[in-house]
Amino acid sequence: MSNSKPASVNQVWLASLAALVVSVAVVGMNLMSKGHAAFNTTSHGPLPWGLPVVTYDYFVSFSIGMAFVAGAALVFNIEGLYASMKRILWIAVAALIGGILVLGLELGHPFRATYAILFNFQTTSPLFWKPILVFLYIWVLLASYAKVSKPGWSPAGMRPLGYALFVTGGFLAAGSAAVFGLMSMRPVWYDPMLPVYGIFESMVMGMAGIVVALAIGHGGVANAPEPTRKLLDGFGRHSMALFTALLLVSVVVRAWGGLWSNLDGLQVWRAVVASPVFWIELIALAAALFLLLQAQGSLLLAAVLVILATFIGRYEFVIAGQLVPLFKGSWVPGLVNYAPSLTEWMVALLGLALNFAIYTFGEKQFDLSASPAS
Amino acid sequence: MAKWGMVIDLEKCTGCQACSTSCQMENNRLPGENYQDVLYYTEGKQPTPTLKWFPRPCMHCEEPSCMHVCPTKATYKTEDGVVLIDWNKCIGCKYCMIACPYGVRFYTDEKPLIEPNLKEVFKGEGDLSWAPPYKGPQQDPTHGVGIQPPGVVSKCTFCYHKISKAPKGVPDLDEDVAELREFVPACVRSCAPKARYFGDLDNPNSRVNRLISEKNGTRLLDHTGNKPQVYYLTGAGAAGSAVPSSRSTTNKS
Ligand code: SF4
Ligand code: SF4
């Protein structure tokens, strides 16, 4: 174990271990004693997918975002990220593991899922394609990680894997969004362009994730290696600002369209906009944009704000799509009430803590700064 | 092969919920997880609000979105047009619940709607989520019939344990015909004003077909493309009077 790691690595490692212990204890106890009755999702509510699905979906998108940025760096020869390539890919692996664990806690029969999806070939289901894409993505991710782990790895030799990361990540991001976007019976979600939006949102998350990882890994963004810092201060900051601005516009426009429309189902937007959480999302994005546009604005704070806003956005999107009941139970004109239970929050925390624990374990055990031969 | 379907005459339905009650008994359902619900709602405001009701089983759609999204093919359609769930294949992902436009699917590992939780009082063993004091004789997990196991989704089966044993070629399953009575779905058999009819939609001589064509049978949310095999008779024949026409959320203007 290396002792030269910045204090931030140890601090995050210890915090994530503590969070893991607490969340595993609460989730384990509640799920073992009550099963999924410990969640606030209900058939008679009705709201089938709650916070665990949001969290799982977010982590998968986050992982894809990291892989995308890594792929882009390799394909377009963005040298400033080479020194961080191993770190970026390792975080993508960590986020994926966290996401899959959360999904396992949500499914009624997680072990059955490992073979039943693959062997039944329901090709019409987006949830048939998504696990297959995840499977491909894992292989490309692990192969890429293995290759950049070799001292003196060659960027030219990595380029084919860079393309593969780009393509599998792109299809997976689109496939994940299609799970929602193809549901014509749910007007908040239904949008054939949603897969494209999914790709773009993942990229913003990836950029923000890299900034946070560099801050933890080097004890501050300012301590990152010179080429990385240069990149972050110039092209990195500008492209993140551009994507954040586009994200902000799309959040506003989507809410605007929802408020304007008379389509049954979209009345949910009035409830979304009335919620303080929506305004926190907007303010976080606007503040992040403001910081990114200042030459001296804190990159780390901007990245944290983007991560917060995108998580809120994902929560809003997944939950709002289910708030108009579809002729369920004693059908009422109002909206469904849903707030995650303690167990659901702890499932989300468990996933997050696991991500950070795996990531900081990597920082402590492996040299995540392995650079290519110059 | 028959294509089973149902006709519900809204002019006759009194909202008595005999259908819901008999379905609960037949399929061992608890409050909050009724396969067959009568939905109550009001339309209009004071001083002229109207109380309305709308009986709503699974529509056993011709193009069931629940089946198309099910990643394990646990949800499938039989040759005789009934949409069923194979509980041995279901992984409890609940995607079908998301994709069903009619909200008729149930994942029952949840907080109970009323206390005490009868599943705790009558604890089940093995693959049974509970052991009710009265239970139908059938337990057929591959057709989603019987006591629901934990971790899976369930729905109305059109009483598949009954209709699948009906003599072949009959145009309708009518409770008034003594030799067919045992094969009639519980909700149809118990409907006191005889608002429900069950028969073969592919048989031009069936009563369900005649009713649909003579009384302008309409389908709920037809724009989704799911093509329900449950038709509603509305008297006036207008879809608006067949389905709840507004969610009466506050108007914008
Ligand atoms: S009503 Fe819903 S559950 Fe029934 S067949 Fe149609 S989509 Fe499937
Ligand atoms: S919950 Fe079961 S029946 Fe529904 S989509 Fe998932 S596997 Fe299919």
Side-chain angles (χ1 to χ4, degrees):
Chain A
M1 199 174 287
S2 159
N3 291 327
S4 60
K5 292 292 168 197
S8 51
V9 171
N10 260 328
Q11 287 159 357
V12 176
W13 163 251
L14 291 175
S16 51
L17 284 190
L20 257 183
V21 170
V22 173
S23 55
V24 166
V26 176
V27 170
M29 221 160 58
N30 287 355
L31 283 188
M32 274 195 283
S33 62
K34 299 186 212 157
H36 281 150
F39 291 177
N40 279 351
T41 47
T42 59
S43 297
H44 51 78
L47 191 128
W49 285 351
L51 183 62
V53 171
V54 176
T55 311
Y56 141 75
D57 196 53
Y58 186 84
F59 286 161
V60 172
S61 300
F62 191 85
S63 169
I64 297 166
M66 302 296 277
F68 257 151
V69 180
L74 291 166
V75 171
F76 301 114
N77 217 4
I78 304 173
E79 288 177 15
L81 281 182
Y82 286 170
S84 309
M85 192 57 68
K86 194 173 167 190
R87 174 174 289 113
I88 296 172
L89 293 172
W90 178 249
I91 297 172
V93 173
L96 195 63
I97 295 174
I100 290 173
L101 177 91
V102 171
L103 175 66
L105 294 171
E106 154 74 19
L107 289 178
H109 284 283
F111 295 112
R112 191 180 286 171
T114 56
Y115 60 87
I117 296 181
L118 203 59
F119 295 126
N120 281 292
F121 282 96
Q122 179 56 300
T123 51
T124 55
S125 173
L127 279 193
F128 167 75
W129 293 106
K130 189 173 172 183
I132 289 188
L133 288 167
V134 167
F135 190 69
L136 288 176
Y137 172 69
I138 289 174
W139 279 109
V140 175
L141 199 56
L142 291 179
S144 306
Y145 179 77
K147 208 150 182 193
V148 297
S149 296
K150 293 201 181 105
W153 59 273
S154 131
M158 269 300 288
R159 198 145 299 137
L161 277 171
Y163 278 109
L165 277 173
F166 224 56
V167 172
T168 49
F171 273 108
L172 180 54
S176 301
V179 169
F180 302 96
L182 299 184
M183 298 297 103
S184 63
M185 64 297 293
R186 305 229 172 226
V188 173
W189 292 349
Y190 182 54
D191 181 355
M193 285 299 284
L194 199 73
V196 178
Y197 181 82
I199 293 177
F200 146 76
E201 202 184 15
S202 288
M203 291 203 85
V204 196
M205 292 178 194
M207 290 179 190
I210 287 171
V211 173
V212 173
L214 288 173
I216 298 173
H218 296 286
V221 183
N223 301 333
E226 176 66 19
T228 311
R229 232 173 337 120
K230 258 198 182 147
L231 174 76
L232 289 182
D233 284 340
F235 177 70
R237 177 183 284 272
H238 298 150
S239 39
M240 200 167 145
L242 175 68
F243 276 95
T244 306
L246 288 173
L247 191 63
L248 180 59
V249 170
S250 62
V251 171
V252 172
V253 169
R254 202 158 55 182
W256 193 343
L259 288 174
W260 178 84
S261 175
N262 281 334
L263 186 64
D264 190 20
L266 290 190
Q267 61 271 55
V268 78
W269 279 104
R270 273 172 264 164
V272 170
V273 171
S275 148
V277 178
F278 173 76
W279 295 99
I280 294 174
E281 178 190 7
L282 278 190
I283 292 168
L285 282 176
L289 183 58
F290 177 78
L291 288 170
L292 290 167
L293 291 175
Q294 315 295 311
Q296 298 304 318
S298 164
L299 261 182
L300 177 61
L301 183 57
V304 170
L305 288 170
V306 165
I307 290 174
L308 174 74
T310 45
F311 187 79
I312 292 177
R314 190 59 58 105
Y315 179 88
E316 232 163 37
F317 179 74
V318 174
I319 302 302
Q322 303 169 72
L323 288 186
V324 170
L326 301 174
F327 292 95
K328 172 72 91 179
S330 52
W331 188 79
V332 284
L335 301 178
V336 169
N337 278 322
Y338 169 75
S341 67
L342 174 72
T343 313
E344 287 173 272
W345 281 115
M346 287 294 140
V347 166
L349 180 66
L350 201 167
L352 186 70
L354 188 66
N355 288 352
F356 274 111
I358 295 174
Y359 160 55
T360 41
F361 177 80
E363 286 282 5
K364 288 162 82 68
Q365 293 295 326
F366 319 125
D367 178 15
L368 292 186
S369 304
S371 295
S374 47
Chain B
M1 187 60 83
K3 180 166 98 181
W4 295 119
M6 192 181 285
V7 169
I8 303 177
D9 189 338
L10 294 176
E11 282 197 309
K12 284 190 184 175
C13 173
T14 60
C16 69
Q17 302 187 76
C19 49
S20 304
T21 312
S22 57
C23 173
Q24 275 188 340
M25 294 300 292
E26 184 70 34
N27 293 294
N28 295 108
R29 307 305 294 175
L30 287 171
E33 50 183 65
N34 295 345
Y35 286 159
Q36 154 58 54
D37 263 324
V38 180
L39 315 177
Y40 284 86
Y41 61 102
T42 48
E43 276 191 358
K45 289 189 185 138
Q46 288 293 357
T48 53
T50 11
L51 175 66
K52 298 204 168 186
W53 55 91
F54 185 71
R56 186 244 38 201
C58 165
M59 306 286 153
H60 292 273
C61 308
E62 271 174 44
E63 285 293 345
S65 44
C66 59
M67 179 182 87
H68 295 313
V69 302
C70 174
T72 63
K73 286 193 179 161
T75 295
Y76 63 101
K77 200 161 170 68
T78 62
E79 281 189 347
D80 46 359
V82 182
V83 177
L84 298 174
I85 303 172
D86 181 344
W87 283 334
N88 294 332
K89 280 188 175 179
C90 177
I91 58 170
C93 65
K94 302 189 255 181
Y95 200 14
C96 51
M97 293 173 68
I98 293 287
C100 168
Y102 306 102
V104 297
R105 295 182 149 247
F106 301 89
Y107 184 78
T108 55
D109 303 14
E110 303 177 331
K111 292 195 169 72
L113 188 63
I114 55 163
E115 297 283 359
N117 184 357
L118 288 180
K119 286 184 182 150
E120 288 297 320
V121 179
F122 302 105
K123 279 193 193 306
E125 275 177 9
D127 254 1
L128 305 183
S129 58
W130 68 305
Y134 163 77
K135 177 186 168 314
Q138 62 287 327
Q139 185 68 27
D140 178 4
T142 57
H143 293 99
V145 171
I147 305 289
Q148 181 167 349
V152 300
V153 164
S154 61
K155 64 179 272 298
C156 153
T157 64
F158 264 175
C159 284
Y160 199 70
H161 51 288
K162 289 168 168 279
I163 63 168
S164 57
K165 297 190 185 110
K168 301 289 164 233
V170 288
D172 292 282
L173 292 179
D174 185 343
E175 67 278 15
D176 291 339
V177 180
E179 55 276 24
L180 294 179
R181 191 167 295 148
E182 277 311 310
F183 311 115
V184 179
C187 59
V188 178
R189 189 170 167 184
S190 61
C191 177
K194 203 169 173 63
R196 289 183 183 240
Y197 304 86
F198 192 82
D200 181 359
L201 295 172
D202 270 354
N203 187 329
N205 297 319
S206 65
R207 176 146 64 163
V208 283
N209 255 334
R210 270 205 322 278
L211 285 168
I212 292 165
S213 59
E214 285 167 10
K215 294 193 167 186
N216 282 334
T218 56
R219 305 192 282 201
L220 183 62
L221 297 185
D222 220 1
H223 67 275
T224 61
N226 273 37
K227 303 194 179 108
Q229 285 173 203
V230 173
Y231 287 76
Y232 291 94
L233 306 181
T234 66
S241 63
V243 299
S245 60
S246 106
R247 287 176 199 268
S248 53
T249 44
T250 45
N251 288 341
K252 285 181 215 159
S253 47

